[in-house]
Amino acid sequence: MSELVLHGLAVSGGVAIGPAFVPPAFVPAAPSREAVDGGPPAALAALAQVAAELGATATRLAAAGRAAEAEIIDANRLMAEDPSLRSEVEALARDRPAAAALVAATERQAAMLAALDDPLLAGRAADVRELGRRAIRALTGGGALHAPARPSIVVAPEVGPAELVDLRLEDGLVLGFALSAGSATSHAAIIARSYGVPMVAELGEEVLAGESGAQIGLDGATGTVVLRPGAASILRFRSTAAANAKEQAQLAAGRHLPSVTASGKSIRLLANASTPGEVEAALERGAEGVGLLRTELAFLDAVGWPTADQHAAALAPTLDLLAGRVATVRTLDFGADKTPAFLRGEGGRGIALMLEHEGALEAQLAAIVRAGRGTRLRVMLPLVESPEQLAIARQLLHAATAPGDLAPQLGAMIETPIGAERSRELAAAADFFSIGTNDLVATTLGLDRDQPGVSPLSAAHPSVVALIRQTIESAHAAGITVEICGEAAGEPELTPLLVRLGVDELSVSAARLDTIRKAVRASGEPGDKLNQVRDGRDGVVA
Ligand code: PEP
Ligand code: MG
């Protein structure tokens, strides 16, 4: 049979060629007696077994220092113990086989999550379906997934985070993932990226038709998968893989070099993070510290505003790793696509929303000051639009600081045209600025930030560039620094433009640090990309 080229969603970069491995657990097992007529007790026992298995896996991972994965798996254990899922399974299992009840309940919850206009929550649909698959394996005695016996590419409809742990990515036997469904925001996608294992999703049913053992070629950067690749395709994959490896090695070899432009300006390189694993990866790649710690992601399932103790417990594992380093903690940015159930129906976002709820900011600031002792702590507020917001937060920050201690710096995130236009007044009330280009692009151009076609490169649009310029000029006139922490900071094509606009710090995901360091060092020289991506003042923008 000739080769078949499929195009899917590029989820995790890198190239792989190897035999397909269709995990047996994805092939439905013959139903056992229990699965057919075990009733509610059998279905609930299967869920309880899954919760116990996931709990044990999380404990093992935490003990092995794999804290970020442990956290994700433990969140899935909580999902397996969720009373609403258990009561739905129990009710359904009264009039259908236990296995069918587990499938129906998990599918219904997954469909509900997938329909939410929130990529993060939608990404959890895969986790709930995974629970269903695990529970059926528990019910039918199907056992856990195992890693392939030889290096292979996993072919499946989708994979969940605990399945990735079972597949033991750290052993290197999984070369890549070719998924018929899946998403770029699932936890499995995040884990695959952190291991550097290529993944392509949304390939459609055709990818599942291949047999276990048949050759597959996969390019996670372009989202291309070739079933039964011919000699020419194999050669192409091999040369891309060799070029990637060479580039990565060259970039990593430059980690010790300072982040200084060719014209001698130092640009501080920091990292965006929300988990201890991301902080570890960033420090390994030479980040000076964290420029954006997103705190709300740990609380998307919260049932009310977190207490100071809950904040401190969430912050401690991350901030402990940053002793002596810059730790920029952003206060909760709830609202829009990051709205926990208890805030549904309320308008507002970021600092404005938090200030509407008495005690919410006090609790978080108290915890930040407590957990951040020992770091070079900075606090920043999302979506600031008025000096009054900074004044209130400053007062609370002083109150949270022990007498005699120096209060941490207080920064304003500039993420809307109003924030940029009021940047002179804001600069007088803030200790630093951080520009959130993800939101600034969306609010300036009137787009939805997850809309196809909106990319970090949209920050080079003349209207956005004009606001970035205005913000930086206001900050420098007041003697404060400006960081960029949106995804635009991680785009090497934009680095020369941002450097020329006068940015002082770039905060990017750990995976982009090597690339951006190189781009900073190359910027400011004649012939660099300054001439290709022009800013708004000079004319056309790429
Ligand atoms: C941004 O908007 O650019 C930003 C960094 O914040 P978030 O992506 O968390 O909204
Ligand atoms: Mg933002």
Side-chain angles (χ1 to χ4, degrees), residues 395-413:
Q395 214 175 27
L396 297 176
L397 195 55
H398 274 291
T401 307
D405 282 0
L406 216 55
Q409 289 201 343
L410 178 67
M413 284 190 73

Side-chain angles (χ1 to χ4, degrees), residues 333-349:
D333 182 16
F334 282 149
D337 62 343
K338 290 181 286 192
T339 304
F342 79 93
L343 286 174
R344 294 245 158 87
E346 282 202 34
R349 219 195 112 178

Side-chain angles (χ1 to χ4, degrees), residues 452-473:
V454 177
S455 95
L457 295 176
S458 312
H461 187 284
S463 316
V464 181
V465 169
L467 294 174
I468 296 176
R469 182 195 307 284
Q470 186 177 354
T471 303
I472 294 177
E473 283 174 359

Side-chain angles (χ1 to χ4, degrees), residues 95-230:
D95 60 9
R96 67 187 84 185
L102 286 163
V103 172
T106 49
E107 274 301 327
R108 209 187 64 81
Q109 295 229 350
M112 250 165 47
L113 286 169
L116 294 176
D117 192 18
D118 174 344
L120 277 168
L121 289 178
R124 290 183 194 188
D127 297 11
V128 183
R129 281 198 208 96
E130 185 205 50
L131 279 185
R133 288 194 296 273
R134 288 186 90 84
I136 289 168
R137 287 203 289 276
L139 194 67
T140 56
L145 268 187
H146 291 292
R150 56 181 174 144
S152 306
I153 292 174
V154 172
V155 178
E158 65 179 6
V159 281
E163 285 164 343
L164 291 204
V165 173
D166 293 341
L167 288 167
R168 304 186 62 83
L169 297 195
E170 67 275 20
D171 291 350
L173 289 168
V174 175
L175 301 174
F177 290 93
L179 308 177
S180 63
S183 84
T185 46
S186 67
H187 280 130
I190 294 165
I191 294 176
R193 277 197 290 269
S194 75
Y195 277 98
V197 176
M199 180 183 275
V200 180
E202 286 183 14
L203 284 159
E205 297 288 309
E206 272 172 306
V207 74
L208 303 175
E211 281 169 26
S212 234
Q215 283 287 305
I216 294 193
L218 176 155
D219 185 338
T222 59
T224 311
V225 165
V226 182
L227 305 185
R228 304 173 297 277

Side-chain angles (χ1 to χ4, degrees), residues 330 333 349 413 415 439 449:
R330 179 175 73 183
D333 182 16
R349 219 195 112 178
M413 284 190 73
E415 309 187 74
D439 279 304
R449 55 187 271 178

Side-chain angles (χ1 to χ4, degrees), residues 275-325:
T275 64
E278 287 171 299
V279 174
E280 279 164 1
L283 296 181
E284 238 169 65
R285 289 168 177 76
E288 278 191 47
V290 164
L292 165 62
L293 185 72
R294 289 184 168 99
T295 56
E296 62 282 350
L297 302 184
F299 293 108
L300 292 179
D301 292 329
V303 292
W305 287 97
T307 62
D309 283 345
Q310 287 168 332
H311 277 299
L315 288 169
T318 320
L319 293 183
D320 287 351
L321 296 170
L322 289 167
R325 296 177 186 271

Side-chain angles (χ1 to χ4, degrees), residues 18-67:
F21 171 66
V22 184
F26 286 88
V27 180
S32 66
R33 253 190 92 71
E34 283 288 272
V36 173
D37 56 21
L44 289 176
L47 266 187
Q49 184 179 329
V50 168
E53 277 171 19
L54 293 176
T57 305
T59 308
R60 178 170 60 75
L61 291 170
R66 290 160 63 182

